Amino acid sequence: MTTIRQVYKEALSPAYGLEEMTVRMLLQTVNHFSSMTELLSKMDEPMKGLEEYQRLFARVLSGEPIQYVLKKAAFYGIDLFVDRRVLIPRPETEELVDRIIHDFKKKTYPKVIVDIGTGSGCIAFALEKHFGESHILAVDSSTEALEVANINKQQLSSNVEFLQGDLLTPLIHQGVRVDILVSNPPYIQNREEVEANVLNYEPHSALFAPNGIDHYRSMISKAFLVMNDGGTMCFEINYDQEEPLKKILEEFLPNSSYQFLKDMQGKTRFLFVTYLKDSRSTL
Ligand SMILES: C[S@@+](CC[C@H](N)C(=O)[O-])C[C@H]1O[C@@H](n2cnc3c(N)ncnc32)[C@H](O)[C@@H]1O
């Protein structure tokens, strides 16, 4: 009889270089345990699903991210379905959501929230949990990403409204006015910045923007068409984009106030803009 512990020890051999959490997630899944605690309390039981385990283990060893192998990712306390059609949600993006939730607890309840470049829908679903009375819309240009977002919508019995299109365009067409706009758009310019397993497995349309800042420029320049006066735009950005983004803000939103914020790694990672209508935004 092969026990779970034997498989676990073998998988953690330094030759494989795998993280403990990755191996635990695999073992929990193939043994159909509901929690990590259950796995740890049953380590001396016979290993179930050994064949399935070996298949999945080989994929992990080849560099495929564990979230794609298991078709699930945890985000801000929510279990999401993910596959290669969408970006795997990142911890920095959980930080973005956390900041929004804490900032807006103290302010007027937002009537309309939009998430631009929604991917799996992670930001929209996490915000829905905390702003259940708001109308939440989420946009993506990718049909494939929206297929995944809709799988999650069903699984979570969510009311988020998903729209297909380019950035703010679907909102402009529908005349939507927004209190909180959140976006984690593609923002990487140089492929060299990206690790091999990300480059090989995650959708490039979710990662790269030719000039890095293109999508922010587009959204900031059209903010007057969708934002309510006093509304907030919350962006995840790359660590080196503060200066070019300041220029864009000065060009298009000279009256609005803004703040660049660091993530837990100490890198500049978020931009919050309080949108104030100016004389040029009366269209
Ligand atoms: C960095 S991913 C973010 C996904 C998800 N919001 C998250 O934080 O994990 C960017 C997303 O923007 C979408 N996207 C790229 N270009 C777009 C565009 N022009 N208009 C709308 N969505 C776009 C991609 O398909 C991708 O799902």
Side-chain angles (χ1 to χ4, degrees):
M1 176 195 82
T2 308
T3 64
I4 299 172
R5 192 180 303 283
Q6 284 169 325
V7 178
Y8 181 61
K9 281 198 169 153
E10 152 73 13
L12 286 179
S13 142
Y16 298 132
L18 294 180
E19 287 184 16
E20 228 172 302
M21 189 46 73
T22 302
V23 176
R24 286 184 184 187
M25 282 167 74
L26 264 180
L27 290 172
Q28 183 194 335
T29 303
V30 295
N31 285 285
H32 302 289
F33 293 147
S34 58
S35 66
M36 213 50 92
T37 318
E38 188 180 2
L39 168 71
L40 296 178
S41 68
K42 294 184 174 169
M43 288 294 260
D44 295 310
E45 292 196 358
M47 174 78 186
K48 288 183 221 126
L50 200 52
E51 265 180 39
E52 185 193 5
Y53 168 80
Q54 278 158 349
R55 254 188 304 113
L56 301 182
F57 186 70
R59 285 172 61 187
V60 173
L61 272 190
S62 72
E64 186 170 349
I66 184 73
Q67 293 88 345
Y68 288 153
V69 172
L70 299 180
K71 294 200 183 320
K72 63 182 178 191
F75 184 83
Y76 211 75
I78 302 173
D79 288 326
L80 293 166
F81 170 86
V82 292
D83 64 19
R84 290 181 63 178
R85 291 173 286 183
V86 293
L87 191 89
I88 298 166
R90 302 294 203 270
E92 302 87 272
T93 311
E94 286 186 307
E95 274 189 63
L96 173 68
V97 165
D98 197 54
R99 281 175 188 273
I100 295 170
I101 289 167
H102 286 98
D103 270 20
F104 282 87
K105 258 188 191 163
K106 301 171 237 149
K107 295 187 184 159
T108 325
Y109 203 89
K111 285 206 183 81
V112 178
I113 302 176
V114 300
D115 170 24
I116 307 294
T118 194
S120 61
C122 57
I123 297 176
F125 297 127
L127 291 177
E128 185 182 34
K129 256 178 78 176
H130 291 264
F131 299 105
E133 306 292 308
S134 305
H135 180 195
I136 305 186
L137 301 102
V139 176
D140 208 290
S141 53
S142 154
T143 315
E144 293 197 320
L146 288 172
E147 285 165 4
V148 172
N150 276 303
I151 293 172
N152 283 315
K153 175 175 167 148
Q154 280 212 328
Q155 278 186 6
L156 299 167
S157 304
S158 154
N159 290 316
V160 172
E161 189 182 336
F162 288 100
L163 304 170
Q164 185 170 20
D166 177 41
L167 302 174
L168 305 189
T169 308
L171 306 173
I172 297 169
H173 284 161
Q174 293 196 14
V176 176
R177 283 281 164 184
V178 179
D179 298 303
I180 306 179
L181 182 148
V182 194
S183 185
N184 173 23
Y187 57 62
I188 301 171
Q189 192 178 3
N190 302 317
R191 275 163 190 254
E192 301 82 69
E193 271 186 46
V194 180
E195 287 168 22
N197 61 339
V198 174
L199 205 54
N200 292 342
Y201 290 97
E202 301 207 52
H204 288 194
S205 57
L207 295 168
F208 298 108
N211 294 310
I213 53 167
D214 312 322
H215 296 305
Y216 306 107
R217 170 179 279 277
S218 172
M219 287 187 268
I220 290 169
S221 68
K222 292 180 186 147
F224 70 99
L225 292 170
V226 300
M227 292 304 295
N228 274 328
D229 198 21
T232 309
M233 305 172 83
C234 314
F235 298 111
E236 185 173 318
I237 63 171
N238 212 355
Y239 65 93
D240 58 356
Q241 292 174 327
E242 181 166 340
E243 289 312 315
L245 285 171
K246 274 186 187 160
K247 289 206 177 99
I248 294 173
L249 288 164
E250 277 152 26
E251 182 179 351
F252 294 105
L253 299 177
N255 287 356
S256 297
S257 57
Y258 59 83
Q259 235 188 327
F260 288 92
L261 301 158
K262 292 190 192 306
D263 63 19
M264 282 195 220
Q265 315 295 322
K267 289 187 174 162
T268 302
R269 182 65 63 196
F270 311 110
L271 165 62
F272 280 38
V273 184
T274 305
Y275 173 82
L276 294 178
K277 230 173 162 181
D278 68 22
S279 53
R280 298 180 310 168
S281 47
T282 50
L283 284 188

